[in-house]
Amino acid sequence: PDGIQKPPGSALGPLTFLGRNPSFSNPNFVVPNVHQFSAGIQRELPWRVSLEATYAGSRSYDLEGGFGAYNEPSAEFQAQCDVTRGGSRSLCDEQLPNPFFQVRGFEGTNRFSNRNLSRYELSRPFPAFSGFSENQLNLGKLVYDSAQFVANKRWARGVTINASYTYVPRWTETGDYVDGVSGLRMDGPYFSHRKHRVTASGVWELPWFRGERSLKGYLLGGWSMAPMLVYQSGRPWDMPGNVDLAPGISRDKMALPGKKEGQFIYGVKPCIGQRQSNGTYSLISVSQAYGCTEPYFLIREAFQRRTAMFRYDEFRRPSMMMLDVNFAKMTPITNRVRLQVRLEAFNLLNSPQYDERQYNTTTSSADFGRINRNTVAQSGFQRFVQLGFRLVF
């Protein structure tokens, strides 16, 4: 409405971004590094089977992160507004005269247009600005360990089989800030950690009419089938930003990783507690309707410090399994020309996949902690079949 502001460049000096939330980069940033290592053995077993077992690991250091609490009021001040510690929220919310009202340089911000600001805003170390963020901090570390197994059944009687299994007991992330004011930092599974992955594939030359020099041989012989199966266990669920875990409750008791009930896929039991004026926590209505008897998740109050990690190993999204099949036939036309016919079916079982979907994180929703398949689209694709022809010279 007021037009486009002309970028001032460096002309404003220390008055740049008045009333806004500037960010800056760490001048001492170093390039992250990773150490990768593996050791394995391979053996040939009877029946033309080879087996390979490998340990593979890595350690990543100095990963990039950020810190967004530079210009936040102190933890001691915010504790006075935290009702869980005997404080009063009204202290931080109280509206006080705004010393920056209509002051040149603050145009386009609430500090310029509002006659009052909250005590919280005016208690920032630099109240002429909102939040400060520093980027390119060397905060993070990743630790990865895995056991990998590969089995191969060599070609015999028209059959070859390949199978692999990867077990990843640990892929952890540490470093980034869960709560910048308290200094609590992340310590939990990496966002793409899957503990188990299985693949199996092979080729089978169908024996019927193979090599038969007849019309049936030309039409029905020479087919091969190549299936491909992939299974992956679920990734970690990203915790809601407004809840903490109830103390003294085992996370295994809270978790329902991928449990299916009708149209729902559950990740956790939706047992949510809301703080009451007497300091106790009562189950909200949607949790009572589910049948909860005690709260597992506690809605965080204003100015209360976060204690929950971004992700937990026990809270995982649904697993994924997919089967594809390929049928192929090579028919000689002449001594030099062959015709290949390919019939390929992807997601043969037409299995809906939700492994890339998050469980609902809205605490007021009846779908908290679950996926409603009537309202959430799957992350995979439906079955489709394609037919192809190719001349090989």
Side-chain angles (χ1 to χ4, degrees), residues 200-215:
S201 63
V203 178
W204 178 30
E205 281 194 346
L206 302 180
W208 304 294
F209 308 107
R210 184 169 57 190
E212 186 175 316
R213 295 184 177 274
S214 65
L215 181 61

Side-chain angles (χ1 to χ4, degrees), residues 54-56 144-149 164-170 193-198 233:
T54 304
Y55 161 78
Y144 174 86
D145 294 300
S146 70
Q148 303 174 9
F149 303 92
S164 68
Y165 168 60
T166 302
Y167 172 54
V168 185
R170 180 169 64 166
H193 178 212
R194 298 180 187 265
K195 284 191 174 182
H196 306 281
R197 176 179 168 86
V198 178
S233 59

Side-chain angles (χ1 to χ4, degrees), residues 119-244:
R119 187 190 303 273
Y120 180 89
E121 284 295 320
L122 294 174
S123 297
R124 294 181 183 273
F126 304 96
F129 301 89
S130 51
F132 279 10
S133 298
E134 183 174 10
N135 304 319
Q136 292 186 295
L137 291 170
N138 296 108
L139 296 175
K141 175 184 176 182
L142 290 180
V143 176
Y144 174 86
D145 294 300
S146 70
Q148 303 174 9
F149 303 92
V150 178
N152 175 267
K153 172 70 169 74
R154 298 181 182 178
W155 191 270
R157 297 183 179 180
V159 175
T160 182
I161 300 174
N162 299 280
S164 68
Y165 168 60
T166 302
Y167 172 54
V168 185
R170 180 169 64 166
W171 194 0
T172 57
E173 173 188 5
T174 58
D176 224 341
Y177 286 92
V178 171
D179 188 287
V181 175
S182 67
L184 181 65
R185 295 170 71 174
M186 172 63 184
D187 186 6
Y190 191 52
F191 79 95
S192 60
H193 178 212
R194 298 180 187 265
K195 284 191 174 182
H196 306 281
R197 176 179 168 86
V198 178
T199 66
S201 63
V203 178
W204 178 30
E205 281 194 346
L206 302 180
W208 304 294
F209 308 107
R210 184 169 57 190
E212 186 175 316
R213 295 184 177 274
S214 65
L215 181 61
K216 290 190 299 184
Y218 276 103
L219 294 178
L220 304 178
W223 285 94
S224 63
M225 180 176 69
M228 175 69 180
L229 175 70
V230 177
Y231 167 81
Q232 295 184 138
S233 59
R235 292 167 50 186
W237 176 47
D238 293 334
M239 280 284 292
N242 66 329
V243 301
D244 287 313

